[in-house]
């Protein structure tokens, strides 16, 4: 090695130059809860149970999504529509309970492919967030069904 | 000493103590921020605006941690270790001149806690006591990793203190005084020692890294081989004390380097500024206050440099460390003394003869 190489000082200065360049570089971090990364249009996030154009639930509790689910995350109980509930449920049979266990779900999207009624979809803009209790990861109909559109927004 | 001066000294010493604690506290924050920035991250940004309350959160966390003393440890020495480290670190900033003199009314106030005529020797003496803190702590832990770390710390500090002292002698030859106040006063304006002592400064800087156990010389606390070195067994605020003492040492050594080589509170064109005021008292005070700001700017620059180097360079191997200290730095420091002596003789020959 030459003298300047054995002194290591030029090499150290070079290294310091590299680190100071990174010091002023734009940071790669995305401050998650405040900002979110731009996701692709086919991103598979949190499930939603859709309503039809009249605001009635599309799900008919056929169970095909539960069968398709490789993680066995979906459970449901079916019920019969009563008279006067036509505006709530589109078909004569509907899901009384519909639960997705977000700890089991692998967000593969096979349920939305299996669904014959176009009732379940994985949204591209919502995630199943972290929680403190295991119970809170079981999403029932209260958190899955698409909120009713109010008259103003219709 | 009249009572006004006594009260002033008391307040000043408390203020310096508080400032060094504050700087040490926020050094931990800036260490993490700078580390993050160099690694393209953003660092702590959750506690308070821009994460500025992070040191408080860390300290609070440390206080609530379990205070653990190993069963076979020497309990008294185990507690004494971090105490000594902290005490010694906090003592050493006493003789550093943070500014010139302030004139208020009839009295003039020196911005230095104690102006002893052997200031730099005092700092050396006190700082080398700091190794007792590490040694006692490491030995009292009754743990081979802690002991290894402590032995490393002791031998490394002794080895590098030699080269540090030798590089300092060249500065003392120029100044002819051991008092930091005199050394600072001699470097008026832009007449800093760094222009006469570039090699000496380099040696001093490298030794300062070794003395404060910073990367690339942080072998006493290498996580990978020694699981943290001398503070392996420490937890809670006793661990905090060790880390705190390290940061105070960095602050002190930065202040010493600014004083010895970078002109302390002196800045270019300070005389022009002083003469620009009609009132000499006002001019003096303005220059002094700017001088204090300049001094702290230099200290912060050095602290930044310490952190910058830490996140750039990997650690030395132990034999490399010893080889660098004994085979390279000490001969270089002696050469530097000879060169300085020759330079002084030549200067005197040409000016007097």
């Amino acid at each position: 090695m030459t003298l300047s190489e054995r002194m290591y000082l030029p090499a150290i200065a070079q290294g310091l130059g590299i680190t100071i360049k990174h010091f002023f570089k734009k940071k790669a971090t995305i401050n998650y809860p405040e900002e979110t990364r731009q996701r692709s249009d086919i991103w598979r996030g949190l499930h939603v149970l859709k309503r039809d154009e009249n605001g009635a639930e599309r799900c008919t509790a056929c169970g095909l999504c539960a069968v398709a689910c490789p993680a066995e995350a979906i459970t449901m109980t079916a019920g019969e529509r009563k008279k006067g509930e036509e505006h709530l449920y589109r078909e004569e049979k509907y899901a009384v309970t519909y639960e997705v266990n977000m700890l089991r779900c692998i967000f593969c999207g096979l349920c939305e492919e299996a669904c014959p009624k176009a009732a379940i979809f994985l949204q591209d803009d919502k995630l199943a967030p972290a929680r403190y209790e295991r119970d809170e990861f079981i999403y029932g109909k209260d958190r899955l069904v698409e909120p009713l559109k109010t008259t103003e927004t219709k | 000493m009249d009572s006004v001066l006594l009260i002033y000294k008391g307040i000043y010493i408390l203020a310096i103590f508080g400032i060094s604690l504050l700087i040490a506290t926020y050094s931990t924050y800036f260490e993490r921020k700078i580390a993050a920035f160099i690694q393209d991250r953003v660092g702590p940004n959750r506690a308070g605006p821009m994460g500025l309350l992070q040191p408080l959160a860390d300290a609070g966390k440390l206080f609530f941690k379990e205070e653990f003393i190993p069963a076979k440890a020497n309990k008294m020495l185990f507690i004494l270790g971090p105490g000594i480290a902290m005490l010694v670190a906090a003592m050493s900033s006493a003789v550093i001149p943070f500014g010139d003199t302030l004139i208020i009314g009839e009295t003039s106030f020196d911005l230095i806690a104690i102006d002893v005529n052997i200031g730099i020797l005092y700092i050396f003496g006190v700082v080398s006591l700091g190794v007792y803190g590490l040694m006692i702590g490491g030995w009292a832990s009754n743990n081979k990793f802690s002991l290894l770390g402590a032995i490393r710390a002791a031998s490394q500090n002794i080895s590098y203190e030699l080269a540090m002292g030798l590089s300092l002698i060249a500065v003392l030859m120029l100044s002819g005084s051991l008092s930091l106040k005199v050394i600072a006063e001699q470097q008026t304006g832009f007449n800093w020692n760094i222009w006469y002592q570039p090699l000496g400064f380099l040696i001093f800087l490298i030794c300062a890294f070794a003395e404060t156990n910073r990367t690339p010389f942080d072998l006493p606390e290498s996580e990978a081989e020694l699981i943290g070195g001398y503070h392996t067994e420490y937890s809670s605020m006793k661990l905090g004390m060790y880390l705190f003492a390290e940061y105070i040492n960095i602050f002190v050594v930065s202040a010493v380097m600014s004083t010895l080589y970078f002109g302390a509170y002196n800045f270019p064109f300070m005389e022009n500024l002083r003469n620009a005021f009609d009132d000499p008292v006002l001019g003096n005070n303005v220059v002094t206050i700017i001088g204090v700001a300049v001094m702290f700017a230099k200290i912060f620059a050095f602290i930044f440099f310490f952190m910058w180097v830490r996140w750039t360079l990997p650690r030395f191997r132990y034999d490399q460390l010893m080889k660098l200290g004994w085979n390279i730095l000490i001969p270089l420091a002696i050469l530097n003394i000879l060169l300085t002596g020759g330079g002084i003789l030549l200067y005197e020959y040409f000016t007097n003869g």
Side-chain angles (χ1 to χ4, degrees):
Chain A
M1 285 197 286
T2 61
L3 181 69
S4 74
E5 273 174 354
R6 267 190 298 151
M7 265 165 59
Y8 291 111
L9 290 176
I12 288 173
Q14 202 186 349
L16 288 172
I18 290 172
T19 42
I20 203 71
K21 228 183 308 176
H22 279 269
F23 188 86
F24 292 109
K25 234 173 156 179
K26 197 175 169 295
K27 306 301 167 226
T29 310
I30 292 170
N31 289 311
Y32 165 56
E34 289 92 40
E35 321 163 11
T36 43
R37 195 184 295 273
Q38 177 71 42
R39 297 198 189 94
S40 108
D41 291 339
I42 52 163
W43 172 272
R44 299 190 296 259
L46 191 66
H47 312 63
V48 66
L49 286 173
K50 295 295 249 186
R51 293 173 188 275
D52 68 2
E53 57 279 4
N54 300 322
E57 286 175 24
R58 304 181 79 112
C59 178
T60 177
C62 61
L64 284 177
C65 50
V67 172
C69 184
E72 300 186 353
I74 304 176
T75 50
M76 67 185 77
T77 47
E80 205 173 329
R81 185 178 70 184
K82 306 242 170 31
K83 231 179 164 49
E85 286 180 338
E86 284 84 358
H87 65 289
L88 288 178
Y89 313 109
R90 201 164 76 145
E91 310 286 334
E92 284 165 9
K93 187 163 152 261
Y94 73 99
V96 180
T97 62
Y98 190 103
E99 288 177 344
V100 181
N101 187 336
M102 292 299 169
L103 288 177
R104 305 199 69 166
C105 178
I106 57 170
F107 300 94
C108 59
L110 288 184
C111 47
E112 69 179 16
E113 278 178 39
C115 187
K117 297 288 180 189
I120 189 162
F121 284 100
L122 301 181
Q123 293 152 292
D124 60 5
D125 58 340
K126 287 202 185 83
L127 297 172
R131 293 179 184 281
Y132 288 108
E133 304 291 333
R134 272 167 186 268
D135 306 351
E136 294 175 7
F137 281 102
I138 298 170
Y139 278 52
K141 276 186 79 174
D142 50 333
R143 283 191 281 178
L144 286 174
V145 178
E146 190 182 24
L148 260 179
K149 289 195 186 75
T150 51
T151 40
E152 297 98 74
T153 53
K154 213 170 199 175
Chain B
M1 197 183 271
D2 58 306
S3 60
V4 177
L5 222 53
L6 202 64
I7 293 168
Y8 160 72
K9 283 290 181 201
I11 293 171
Y12 183 78
I13 288 170
L14 276 182
I16 285 300
F17 185 59
I19 286 170
S20 48
L21 289 189
L22 190 76
I23 287 176
T25 316
Y26 272 88
S27 290
T28 62
Y29 166 76
F30 283 106
E31 174 97 54
R32 292 171 66 180
K33 266 298 199 208
I34 287 166
F37 272 47
I38 282 175
Q39 296 165 355
D40 290 345
R41 298 182 282 118
V42 291
N45 64 347
R46 293 286 141 175
M50 290 158 62
L52 274 171
L53 299 179
Q54 188 67 39
L56 295 182
D58 287 343
K61 187 205 80 169
L62 276 176
F63 271 113
F64 283 109
K65 285 273 175 176
E66 185 189 353
E67 191 85 42
F68 182 77
I69 298 178
K72 293 273 178 66
N74 186 329
K75 202 174 166 196
M76 198 190 79
L77 291 182
F78 191 79
I79 295 171
L80 202 63
I84 290 179
M86 188 72 190
L87 174 80
V88 162
M91 266 165 69
S92 44
S93 57
V95 293
I96 293 163
F98 287 97
D100 212 343
T101 42
L102 268 181
I103 301 170
I104 301 167
E106 296 292 290
T107 41
S108 62
F109 298 98
D110 282 348
L111 290 180
I112 178 170
I114 320 158
D115 180 22
V116 282
N117 54 4
I118 51 158
I120 189 67
L121 276 190
Y122 169 85
I123 288 188
F124 264 65
V126 168
V127 165
S128 47
L129 281 178
V131 79
Y132 279 94
L134 313 188
M135 193 70 204
I136 287 174
W139 185 79
S141 301
N142 204 0
N143 168 331
K144 60 187 86 159
F145 291 111
S146 301
L147 184 62
L148 274 174
I151 291 172
R152 279 185 177 190
S155 56
Q156 172 182 326
N157 277 23
I158 290 167
S159 308
Y160 276 77
E161 221 150 72
L162 285 173
M164 202 179 194
L166 287 176
S167 69
L168 183 75
I169 285 177
V171 175
L172 302 182
M173 282 160 76
L174 285 178
S175 68
S177 169
L178 284 166
S179 163
L180 284 170
K181 192 167 158 41
V182 175
I183 293 174
E185 275 165 0
Q186 282 174 352
Q187 309 176 54
T188 45
F190 213 39
N191 188 26
W192 297 351
N193 276 341
I194 176 74
W195 314 128
Y196 308 109
Q197 291 290 333
L199 181 61
F201 170 68
L202 192 66
I203 297 168
F204 195 92
L205 183 72
I206 295 171
C207 294
F209 275 96
E211 286 288 297
T212 48
N213 298 331
R214 293 287 295 188
T215 321
F217 306 108
D218 63 342
L219 288 129
E221 41 191 286
S222 48
E223 298 87 355
E225 319 133 55
L226 295 180
I227 334 165
Y230 55 87
H231 52 58
T232 303
E233 299 284 359
Y234 281 90
S235 61
S236 184
M237 209 52 206
K238 289 211 277 291
L239 173 68
M241 291 276 220
Y242 268 130
L243 304 182
F244 220 67
E246 190 187 313
Y247 282 107
I248 297 181
N249 276 332
I250 291 169
F251 165 66
V252 170
V253 102
S254 301
V256 170
M257 277 196 287
S258 326
T259 311
L260 289 180
Y261 292 98
F262 281 83
Y265 46 77
N266 295 300
F267 53 94
F269 310 114
M270 62 191 290
E271 291 309 316
N272 304 22
L273 184 67
R274 197 194 299 272
N275 296 332
F277 288 91
D278 298 329
D279 184 7
V281 173
L282 181 69
N284 176 65
N285 285 355
V286 166
V287 168
T288 301
I289 288 167
I290 296 175
V292 172
V294 166
M295 175 75 178
F296 275 97
K298 285 169 185 168
I299 293 172
F300 292 146
F302 270 115
I303 292 178
F304 176 78
F305 184 73
F306 267 85
M307 293 173 178
W308 182 14
V309 168
R310 169 157 185 193
W311 297 103
T312 303
L313 294 182
R315 191 178 289 139
F316 271 77
R317 216 168 52 212
Y318 200 67
D319 62 315
Q320 292 171 331
L321 170 98
M322 282 297 157
K323 208 173 167 186
L324 177 69
W326 288 97
N327 288 1
I328 296 168
L329 288 184
I330 290 179
L332 266 184
I334 293 172
L335 180 72
N336 187 42
I337 293 173
L338 292 179
L339 286 178
T340 312
I344 292 172
L345 281 181
L346 272 180
Y347 178 76
E348 282 176 357
Y349 176 77
F350 281 117
T351 45
N352 298 342

